[in-house]
Amino acid sequence: MRLVRARRPRARPPVPVRLNGPYNAGVSVTLGVEALAASNRLSGQRVGLVCNPASVDHQLRHSADVLTDAGATLAALFGPQHGFRSDRQDDMIETPHGRDATREVPVYSLYSETRIPTAEMLDGIDVMVVDLTDVGTRVYTYIYTMANCMRACKAHGVPVVVADRPNPVGGVDVEGPPLDPAWTSFVGQFPIPLRHGLTIGELAELFNVEFGLGADLDVVPMSGWHRTQYLDETDLPWVLPSPNLPTLDSLVVYPGMVLLEGTMLSEGRGTTRPFELFGAPWLDAERLAVRLNGAELPGVQFRAAGFEPTFQKHVGEACGGCQIHVFDRQRYRPVRTALAIIDACRASDPARFGWKLPPYEYEHDRMPIDLLWGSDALRTHVDAGGTAVDLAVDSTAYLALREKYLRY
């Protein structure tokens, strides 16, 4: 399977470095929420805000306070998976509704008995603002929480404003298969690849136009960000977007390593390096590292490692496996690397390698690996004796579609 690189600008435009604030390592980026606040356009408006703890400005002020200070009236807060406070670490555990005692507004969970705002939740809201950090991967549910908000707001006549943020792993590379629409789920609503190469604002416009959401949508763009940039090449603070993605390193590997959620291999949940560590109780760490390093995958090395997950798969069991060390992000191919890992672990002991069974993310019948891959092609290919890394993927149609929505 080949990596597809989308249109890459020849050179980065000169961007001034921000000289104040706690983070000065990279180029200065003005976030969508900062531009929105500076415009004063929400002054006097009753705002519903879709957010979590990563919704902050350069000074680490939460977007709820940034918009309130700009004259907006905060009417309600809406939280995605893991909750408004990201205090539910384990995936697939719903979060309850509540109330923010400091801001004295209701907090609605959109990872609960409903994943789409109800009419009662939207009552008294003049505009819905979405300010979430996406991580550049099709199966990350925040983008579908955004899409569900757009659907609900369309139905109830509420305009939507999406405050754009950088794609933390850059907005150039595209890898993996587009979702087959027959396999739509909460981890995949639209036919985009595993690594989609768009910002959350660009995705909002693509969803709205190409997939018929039809919301009254306005995307507030950033300034200063260049799509070749990873987050650590900007002056923006790092706040983990969700509990199991604690570092930028974990985000770099996530577009591929999330596939291990569909296997009986541990993807490192319940450790301090989720998605970078992987393994199982039946794997020999040293032999696995030799096998994977022998594959000479671009930009990456594997270190033999042992670990004991504190929750989810193989909890409390000693696992043999590896840690992924990415040395060259430009050459590294996260999806191909994850497929090579699946091949190597399966070859180590075909009888003990297995696919995780349902349920998974509100799906009780379909196999998790099929939902993650976007069809049953990977599972059936491997089960028939095929090699995962050789599975053909065609992203040509998506690249042509994507080109129309590139803002940066």
Side-chain angles (χ1 to χ4, degrees), residues 145-186:
T145 293
M146 175 181 70
N148 286 345
C149 288
M150 292 164 65
R151 290 185 177 97
C153 289
K154 160 73 172 178
H156 297 287
V158 177
V160 177
V161 175
V162 174
D164 211 0
R165 288 182 175 266
N167 184 326
V169 294
V172 173
D173 293 335
V174 171
E175 191 184 5
L179 173 81
D180 181 336
W183 293 88
T184 297
S185 72
F186 190 54

Side-chain angles (χ1 to χ4, degrees), residues 62-109:
H62 195 273
S63 296
D65 304 318
V66 172
L67 297 180
T68 300
D69 290 348
T73 298
L74 190 65
L77 294 164
F78 296 81
Q81 188 172 11
H82 304 290
F84 162 66
R85 295 182 178 83
S86 285
D87 52 0
R88 299 299 174 99
Q89 183 170 17
D90 203 350
D91 273 13
M92 289 168 277
I93 293 181
E94 293 180 338
T95 51
H97 308 300
R99 187 169 183 83
D100 187 288
T102 300
R103 301 176 182 92
E104 298 184 334
V105 295
V107 177
Y108 296 117
S109 170

Side-chain angles (χ1 to χ4, degrees), residues 89 243-247 249-251 253-254 257 267-278 311:
Q89 183 170 17
N244 293 300
L245 292 173
T247 68
D249 289 340
S250 53
L251 266 65
V253 301
Y254 181 75
M257 292 301 290
E267 66 276 9
R269 290 183 187 272
T271 75
T272 56
R273 306 297 291 194
F275 299 103
E276 296 173 67
L277 286 170
F278 65 92
F311 61 86

Side-chain angles (χ1 to χ4, degrees), residues 81 90-94 111 261 312 356 359-362:
Q81 188 172 11
D90 203 350
D91 273 13
M92 289 168 277
I93 293 181
E94 293 180 338
Y111 196 76
E261 291 185 10
Q312 284 212 3
K356 188 179 186 300
Y360 181 79
E361 292 289 4
Y362 298 103

